[in-house]
Amino acid sequence: MRKPIWKWLLFASAAAIFAVILFYSNRLIKKIAQEERQRIEIWAGAITYKTQIINETERFFDSIRIEEGNQAGIFAKAVKKVAEASLYEDITFYQDIISANKTVPTIIASRTGAIDAAINLPDSVLQMRNIRELGEGIQEFDSLKLSYYHQDYVMVYYKNSHIYGDFREMIDNLLESFFEETVINSASTPVIITDSTQINVIASGNIDSTVINAPFKVNARLEKMREENAPIVLDWLDRGKCYVFYEESAVLKQLRWFPYIQYGIIFVFALIAYLLFSVSRRSEENRVWVGMSKETAHQLGTPISSLMAWTELLREMPVDQSIPQEIGKDVRRLETIAQRFSKIGSVPVLEDTDIVPIIEDFTNYLQTRISSMVNIRFEKPDHPIVLPLNKQLFEWVIENLCKNSADAMEGKGNITVTITEEKNRVYIDVTDTGKGIPAKMQRRIFSPGYTSKSRGWGLGLTLARRIINNYHKGKLFVKSSVVGEGTTMRIQMKKQ
């Protein structure tokens, strides 16, 4: 009874260890999930701030662009005024305006395209005489049309100053750096931001573009994210209420499975260790049984030889010859038993043998040596039944089953041995009218050491099953048993 208790204690210990690991892992995973949500909030906030900065920056640069356009127009008017001034007119103010333009690249051209003036441009442009010489380069310039009297006009071409370009590039770099350092590092999890409809995507992170560009896939992904985590509500500057959907990162998902994988590995190793221990124990038991069997056969050898000699001596004496005849039968039985024990542990040789005479000879022999109130009946088939078997070991199984049946009836009852055939199988049933076997004990009767008798080692049925299952590739089991009515043991074997 100790072995099952230790098994349950081992199982309970493993379950307790797993529960502790699972509890700690769940706490750790919950903490990491909270940190991921905080990172998502940071990510969403970063998107908001980036949008605000971009909007403000664009407004700022628009104002600078307008201001520089105004400066270009004032510059053109001043140049035109200087060109048209009389000899005695004071043009100092206009000259100051012209000299003040140190940054805005500007070209003044007549209606025919002739360049009247150019400033803050490369020498290659300053040497041009007609605006058409710029070719496609004219696309880099914005233009103003300044009208004069008599429907005359000049064209003012200008583009952003170097200060404007350098400042714009610096701001763009700062925004990009901000986005990479804050957004990318804070959003290692898949994220989608939608508008108030919770359908239209505004921004996303760590999501395949093929998903974002396919409405059906986006809706399915959003539904999945909604089931995993409640969306974060976000007030966007120019979009109103938005929603941030996200799912667990790949690392967190793997971490959720980690305790189960860990426990599985421990379970596999424990199972392997248990199986190795069981195999080792069974091997040791087998070695003990083999050693005991061979020693028993050796010890039986001497008295059997003596009994054979005494039997021959009795035959020569003036006594009832039936006495040495019956003693001879018992001596031969002892010799058969010794041969059986000597074969334990070695691979038996199987030969095609008719089982009918084997069972008949043994039932006749046993009938004369048990209680007269026990009747053994063998329902003999009318044809041979040949199976590959070892005669001595097979006879031992029949003997063990019949003797167990006789013991179960306590010296009174009927034992019936029947043989039935079904396709390529043969069934040998040994039925008694004994006390029966309780259902919960029917599997234990084949365990080593189990016995219901006051004497005995409890090895008979264990060895019988080993002989049938291992040596003859058959099966030995309890076919049926009713407490108080009797038991049927069945041997199932295959034909060749």
Side-chain angles (χ1 to χ4, degrees):
M1 296 297 292
R2 278 187 170 185
K3 183 178 176 182
I5 293 176
W6 279 109
K7 282 185 178 179
W8 282 110
L9 287 175
L10 182 63
F11 175 77
S13 301
I17 293 172
F18 176 68
V20 171
I21 294 175
L22 192 61
F23 173 75
Y24 178 77
S25 298
N26 284 337
R27 286 191 59 185
L28 181 62
I29 291 170
K30 186 177 181 180
K31 184 177 179 180
I32 295 175
Q34 291 174 348
E35 292 179 355
E36 282 196 351
R37 187 175 181 87
Q38 292 174 357
R39 286 199 297 270
I40 296 301
E41 292 174 348
I42 293 173
W43 184 86
I47 293 290
T48 302
Y49 293 138
K50 177 177 182 286
T51 304
Q52 293 174 355
I53 293 172
I54 289 174
N55 291 338
E56 294 297 328
T57 303
E58 288 297 333
R59 282 194 289 267
F60 172 71
F61 282 114
D62 285 342
S63 65
I64 292 178
R65 191 181 301 109
I66 294 171
E67 183 63 27
E68 289 191 344
N70 292 335
Q71 289 181 14
I74 293 171
F75 169 79
K77 290 178 180 180
V79 171
K80 193 68 175 176
K81 188 66 177 177
V82 170
E84 296 173 349
S86 63
L87 183 62
Y88 301 101
E89 187 177 353
D90 184 6
I91 59 174
T92 305
F93 173 74
Y94 300 108
Q95 289 176 336
D96 290 341
I97 292 175
I98 294 171
S99 61
N101 183 9
K102 303 290 186 182
T103 59
V104 182
T106 307
I107 299 175
I108 302 175
S110 65
R111 62 188 298 178
T112 62
I115 296 177
D116 295 334
I119 192 173
N120 300 321
L121 288 164
D123 292 340
S124 60
V125 179
L126 295 176
Q127 294 175 2
M128 294 179 183
R129 295 185 178 184
N130 195 291
I131 196 67
R132 285 188 290 272
E133 295 181 30
L134 282 173
E136 293 183 357
I138 195 66
Q139 297 177 2
E140 298 178 5
F141 292 80
D142 292 325
S143 62
L144 290 174
K145 183 178 180 181
L146 297 180
S147 299
Y148 288 92
Y149 39 77
H150 302 300
Q151 296 184 346
D152 194 11
Y153 64 90
V154 294
M155 293 298 299
V156 181
Y157 298 93
Y158 69 96
K159 61 181 178 180
N160 296 331
S161 65
H162 297 296
I163 296 175
Y164 175 91
D166 293 342
F167 187 52
R168 181 60 186 262
E169 183 179 359
M170 181 187 69
I171 294 297
D172 289 341
N173 290 337
L174 287 174
L175 287 173
E176 186 68 23
S177 175
F178 168 80
F179 185 74
E180 289 180 356
E181 294 181 7
T182 304
V183 176
I184 296 177
N185 292 337
S186 298
S188 59
T189 59
V191 178
I192 298 177
I193 300 180
T194 69
D195 59 12
S196 58
T197 64
Q198 300 187 25
I199 296 176
N200 300 322
V201 178
I202 298 173
S204 63
N206 294 302
I207 301 289
D208 193 340
S209 59
T210 57
V211 175
I212 298 300
N213 296 330
F216 176 78
K217 292 183 179 179
V218 169
N219 293 336
R221 193 66 173 268
L222 288 173
E223 187 62 30
K224 179 183 177 183
M225 289 179 168
R226 186 182 289 107
E227 292 176 358
E228 286 190 8
N229 301 289
I232 300 171
V233 181
L234 178 67
D235 289 324
W236 212 319
L237 181 66
D238 56 347
R239 295 180 182 270
K241 183 176 291 186
C242 301
Y243 293 88
V244 181
F245 294 85
Y246 71 98
E247 60 188 30
E248 295 177 347
S249 64
V251 175
L252 185 57
K253 289 179 179 178
Q254 293 173 3
L255 189 59
R256 286 192 183 277
W257 285 102
F258 178 73
Y260 299 97
I261 295 173
Q262 187 179 34
Y263 184 75
I265 293 172
I266 294 173
F267 175 78
V268 169
F269 274 103
L271 180 62
I272 292 173
Y274 176 79
L275 292 176
L276 290 175
F277 175 77
S278 299
V279 170
S280 176
R281 186 187 61 189
R282 283 196 295 269
S283 298
E284 184 177 356
E285 290 176 353
N286 290 339
R287 287 194 296 270
V288 172
W289 290 348
V290 170
M292 182 186 67
S293 299
K294 292 185 179 299
E295 181 63 20
T296 301
H298 177 71
Q299 294 294 332
L300 287 173
T302 301
I304 288 174
S305 298
S306 299
L307 285 172
M308 292 176 66
W310 284 110
T311 302
E312 293 299 325
L313 184 59
L314 283 173
R315 286 197 178 112
E316 296 176 358
M317 292 183 178
V319 295
D320 186 356
Q321 289 301 308
S322 63
I323 296 175
Q325 185 177 357
E326 291 300 320
I327 293 176
K329 291 181 181 180
D330 291 332
V331 170
R332 285 192 295 274
R333 290 298 303 170
L334 286 173
E335 189 175 9
T336 301
I337 292 171
Q339 291 178 2
R340 294 173 185 169
F341 278 112
S342 66
K343 293 180 182 296
I344 295 295
S346 58
V347 179
V349 177
L350 304 183
E351 297 178 352
D352 291 341
T353 308
D354 185 3
I355 63 172
V356 176
I358 296 176
I359 298 175
E360 185 178 20
D361 290 346
F362 175 75
T363 53
N364 292 336
Y365 170 82
L366 185 62
Q367 182 66 77
T368 60
R369 283 160 176 77
I370 57 176
S371 171
S372 59
M373 300 182 69
V374 174
N375 179 44
I376 301 177
R377 183 165 58 94
F378 174 42
E379 297 181 355
K380 180 180 177 180
D382 57 1
H383 62 279
I385 298 178
V386 179
L387 296 173
L389 52 83
N390 181 278
K391 179 181 178 181
Q392 288 81 12
L393 294 180
F394 180 77
E395 188 180 46
W396 190 358
V397 174
I398 300 298
E399 177 181 340
N400 187 277
L401 296 179
C402 291
K403 285 185 175 180
N404 281 347
S405 295
D407 292 337
M409 295 185 298
E410 297 180 347
K412 183 180 180 179
N414 298 315
I415 299 174
T416 304
V417 181
T418 58
I419 300 177
T420 55
E421 297 179 87
E422 181 181 299
K423 294 183 179 179
N424 64 334
R425 293 181 179 178
V426 174
Y427 301 102
I428 305 163
D429 293 336
V430 179
T431 304
D432 62 60
T433 56
K435 54 187 177 182
I437 306 170
K440 63 180 181 180
M441 305 300 294
Q442 290 181 13
R443 297 187 64 181
R444 291 189 58 196
I445 62 174
F446 296 101
S447 301
Y450 175 82
T451 180
S452 59
K453 306 172 188 176
S454 58
R455 294 181 298 173
W457 288 8
L459 297 177
L461 285 175
T462 303
L463 292 174
R465 171 175 271 190
R466 180 187 180 91
I467 291 169
I468 296 299
N469 291 18
N470 295 359
Y471 294 161
H472 293 84
K473 307 304 177 183
K475 291 183 180 179
L476 172 60
F477 55 94
V478 179
K479 179 187 176 184
S480 63
S481 184
V482 179
V483 176
E485 295 184 11
T487 301
T488 297
M489 302 294 293
R490 167 164 283 189
I491 300 172
Q492 175 184 308
M493 298 182 70
K494 290 183 179 180
K495 297 180 180 179
Q496 275 193 338

